[in-house]
Amino acid sequence: MIDMDTIVSLCKRRGFIFQSSEIYGGTGSCWDYGPLGVELKNNVKRAWWRDNVQLRPDMVGLDASILMHAAVWKASGHLDHFTDPMVDCRGCQRRFRADKLDEGEWVHYCAATKGNKFMVPAGEPCKHCGARRTLCPACGKGGLTDARQFNLMFKTFMGPVEDAAAVTYLRPETAQGIFVNFDNVLQAMRLKLPFGIAQIGKAFRNEITPGNFTFRTREFEQMEIEYFVMPGTDEEWHQRWIDERFAWYQEYGLRKENIRLREHEKDELAHYAKRCADIEYLFPMGWSELEGIANRTDFDLKQHSQFSGKSLEYFDEESKQKVIPYVIEPSAGADRSTLAFLVDAYHAEEVKGEKRVVLKFHPELAPIKIAVLPLLKKNNQIVETAKKICADLRRRWYAVYDDTASIGRLYRRQDEIGTPFCVTVDVQTVGDAKATADQKVTIRGRDSMEQIRVPISAVEAVISDLMSGQWAAVAKQTGLVA
Ligand code: ATP
């Protein structure tokens, strides 16, 4: 398994993800997506949106505002319940989430070895003296305070007056924007149960211990669905969504052995939830949540109806009765998904005695789909032909032209950023004094490194087949370049 430092350093070096405000020392809890990272994350969001909204007749989208009426957070329960237990170290003053204290390695000064300092793996006892962690995991010396509840919402003021009446919060989840618009969407779109509303947007949580790169940050993006169903059909719909969402990640490349479902214990369930299952991914720091899929019952609609005084009922034509729908919520993180796709794509291989790093992204997710490369950058005809092919391909896919190194190095660079296809223009393509032009180019596949040769006029059609995963079929037709 790849370690997180390798991913962090690749992400910085190749322009995927940078630390926020790095020139000021960074924040540690926020990250910026660079030129390749924004493409990757946009592709993840686009695939999610297309599959969950545009391809489904029972779904519509929404983009609600981040700042909402303060009463929303009272009604939703966030003001009173959206807390994590926090402890402080009396020695070094660091703060920790009380329920996650044993999830990282811990510092131990071992009495059995003359007080030597050791880093003990997460959750394990010291192998010399058998002691378990009781003190601060970071400094190994300070005692910890009792746990206090800490509300994770970011407080702010709406308008120019900073008084109690102006207090509001940055949304800690996108879901509430959907609940408060339930009736607007229902009426405007004339929807019938079951139907869902999907939204992608930023959420903010003042996490006590952010960390593990983009896994836990204070500003992040969610991809959430609220799927409204008739009460009584909720358990069946819940299971359907769990199965669908679990399959979705694998469709875009997460390996089966790195993804699993974890059912919440009864005492772990949020106050509104009847059942919840997490999709977990085997991140470098261990199995961790990628997406939570909860049965939120009719809790939210009932609460908002009660606090706002507006009816949020649905009139069922069949039974001629008003009901408050139940809701199934598949709630995913755009940043966590992007990180999982990055980690899963990472491969370090040995090719002809040399190390090759390659990101084997699903073609739909790859930031750049095609690189067009000239074999000789001093040959004008080659350069012009390559630039023209690149411009043509760009109309349909994100393609780049690069002539800043030798062809071997250019291939390695594209492998390292996960570009599925390279198109190379050489002397044979354009001809020279000795040979006439064959007007063909070489297409190289990232994963197999196999090469095929196709006429320039067929490149677009061939790439289209290759994008849908038909390398073997196309190669059989064209034959491989020796
Ligand atoms: P955790 O237990 O890891 O704090 P959670 O159960 O509080 O997560 P949810 O409230 O279910 O998370 O949020 C839904 C999704 O939003 C998560 O599965 C995750 O993908 C994403 N998410 C939540 N908090 C963060 C965060 N601090 N940074 C990045 N993504 C987050």
Side-chain angles (χ1 to χ4, degrees):
M1 168 52 94
I2 179 71
D3 62 90
M4 197 68 102
D5 288 346
T6 307
I7 291 289
V8 175
S9 110
L10 173 83
C11 281
K12 179 172 179 190
R13 192 158 37 83
R14 302 314 311 269
F16 281 92
I17 301 171
F18 308 122
Q19 188 165 150
S20 160
S21 324
E22 193 181 347
I23 59 167
Y24 287 100
T27 63
S29 62
C30 304
W31 298 86
D32 298 341
Y33 288 80
L36 295 188
V38 65
E39 295 295 334
L40 175 64
K41 189 174 164 191
N42 278 346
N43 291 342
V44 170
K45 290 190 283 183
R46 201 173 293 126
W48 184 92
W49 190 263
R50 191 193 48 227
D51 295 343
N52 289 294
V53 181
Q54 296 172 337
L55 291 178
R56 293 185 63 125
D58 56 346
M59 293 282 303
V60 293
L62 183 77
D63 182 12
S65 69
I66 288 171
L67 296 171
M68 301 176 74
H69 196 292
V72 168
W73 307 111
K74 183 70 188 157
S76 69
H78 283 83
L79 261 181
D80 300 323
H81 300 293
F82 197 60
T83 55
D84 274 341
M86 173 174 79
V87 292
D88 293 306
C89 170
R90 291 201 173 90
C92 68
Q93 317 300 334
R94 284 194 185 83
R95 295 199 148 155
F96 304 93
R97 235 173 98 169
D99 55 336
K100 306 260 179 196
L101 274 169
D102 291 315
E103 288 192 1
E105 55 178 3
W106 53 286
V107 171
H108 177 50
Y109 291 91
C110 178
T113 60
K114 298 185 189 150
N116 279 345
K117 181 181 174 183
F118 294 100
M119 295 305 298
V120 186
E124 290 184 15
C126 168
K127 64 180 179 210
H128 303 287
C129 68
R132 293 214 163 253
R133 187 206 56 75
T134 50
L135 302 172
C136 169
C139 73
K141 290 182 177 163
L144 299 171
T145 61
D146 288 340
R148 288 171 290 146
Q149 290 299 328
F150 170 76
N151 196 300
L152 298 181
M153 284 199 292
F154 276 95
K155 214 184 239 182
T156 189
F157 299 95
M158 193 109 83
V161 185
E162 295 197 357
D163 65 10
V167 166
T168 191
Y169 303 88
L170 303 188
R171 66 181 177 196
E173 61 174 25
T174 64
Q176 299 304 323
I178 298 181
F179 294 128
V180 299
N181 276 298
F182 169 77
D183 198 52
N184 283 337
V185 176
L186 180 67
Q187 302 308 332
M189 307 307 287
R190 303 176 170 276
L191 297 166
K192 297 253 175 303
L193 287 183
F195 69 87
I197 305 177
Q199 169 162 232
I200 298 179
K202 290 265 181 165
F204 302 82
R205 295 182 189 177
N206 206 356
E207 299 277 3
I208 297 164
T209 33
N212 288 319
F213 198 23
T214 54
F215 178 82
R216 188 179 303 287
T217 52
R218 294 198 168 114
E219 172 181 344
F220 55 96
E221 217 166 351
Q222 292 188 311
M223 307 189 289
E224 293 199 299
I225 295 168
E226 304 303 328
Y227 195 78
F228 301 95
V229 303
M230 286 295 277
T233 64
D234 50 305
E235 291 181 13
E236 186 193 329
W237 275 108
H238 192 191
Q239 190 56 47
R240 275 170 77 162
W241 273 108
I242 293 170
D243 297 343
E244 281 199 25
R245 295 299 307 143
F246 192 62
W248 187 83
Y249 290 100
Q250 293 173 62
E251 202 180 307
Y252 288 95
L254 292 195
R255 280 166 284 171
K256 223 190 200 140
E257 61 270 29
N258 293 340
I259 176 170
R260 72 177 187 192
L261 279 171
R262 189 182 71 81
E263 196 75 35
H264 279 217
E265 302 290 341
K266 282 272 170 284
D267 60 356
E268 194 191 346
L269 287 174
H271 58 282
Y272 48 75
K274 178 169 164 187
R275 179 189 166 204
C276 183
D278 285 348
I279 297 177
E280 295 191 331
Y281 179 73
L282 188 52
F283 284 98
M285 67 283 187
W287 288 101
S288 312
E289 176 180 335
L290 194 53
E291 168 164 351
I293 304 160
N295 181 344
R296 287 178 85 129
T297 68
D298 54 4
F299 175 82
D300 303 270
L301 290 181
K302 266 191 176 153
Q303 287 291 106
H304 286 303
S305 180
Q306 191 192 329
F307 277 74
S308 67
K310 300 273 179 333
S311 162
L312 295 176
E313 288 168 324
Y314 170 87
F315 182 71
D316 181 36
E317 301 281 352
E318 226 169 275
S319 62
K320 305 284 179 223
Q321 278 186 348
K322 286 182 175 173
V323 292
I324 297 194
Y326 267 42
V327 66
I328 308 300
E329 177 190 76
S331 172
D335 308 273
R336 281 191 195 175
S337 310
T338 301
L339 182 60
F341 285 120
L342 254 165
V343 168
D344 218 84
Y346 185 94
H347 289 75
E349 306 170 341
E350 202 168 294
V351 178
K352 292 183 193 145
E354 266 184 52
K355 187 179 160 197
R356 169 174 103 124
V357 171
V358 52
L359 293 180
K360 296 187 177 176
F361 288 126
H362 186 287
E364 292 261 353
L365 302 187
I368 294 170
K369 312 295 186 205
I370 309 149
V372 186
L373 314 170
L375 196 69
L376 301 171
K377 72 169 177 183
K378 290 198 177 121
N379 179 321
N380 275 345
Q381 256 187 307
I382 291 182
V383 167
E384 290 316 311
T385 307
K387 285 185 175 168
K388 166 88 171 54
I389 293 172
C390 186
D392 288 347
L393 291 173
R394 253 179 200 257
R395 284 197 294 241
R396 193 155 162 201
W397 298 286
Y398 190 15
V400 296
Y401 168 88
D402 192 4
D403 65 8
T404 55
S406 66
I407 192 72
R409 286 189 64 160
L410 292 178
Y411 282 153
R412 290 288 179 272
R413 269 190 211 161
Q414 296 300 329
D415 288 343
E416 211 186 6
I417 59 171
T419 307
F421 307 109
C422 288
V423 172
T424 306
V425 179
D426 55 25
V427 177
Q428 251 179 296
T429 315
V430 297
D432 63 6
K434 286 178 249 158
T436 50
D438 71 356
Q439 291 292 323
K440 286 183 172 179
V441 291
T442 303
I443 301 180
R444 171 187 182 270
R446 174 197 66 201
D447 299 349
S448 65
M449 292 179 288
E450 287 175 349
Q451 302 189 3
I452 55 177
R453 201 158 171 89
V454 302
I456 293 175
S457 57
V459 167
E460 186 178 334
V462 169
I463 297 264
S464 177
D465 288 343
L466 296 180
M467 281 291 173
S468 54
Q470 299 183 44
W471 180 270
V474 174
K476 205 170 162 196
Q477 258 184 14
T478 60
L480 292 177
V481 174

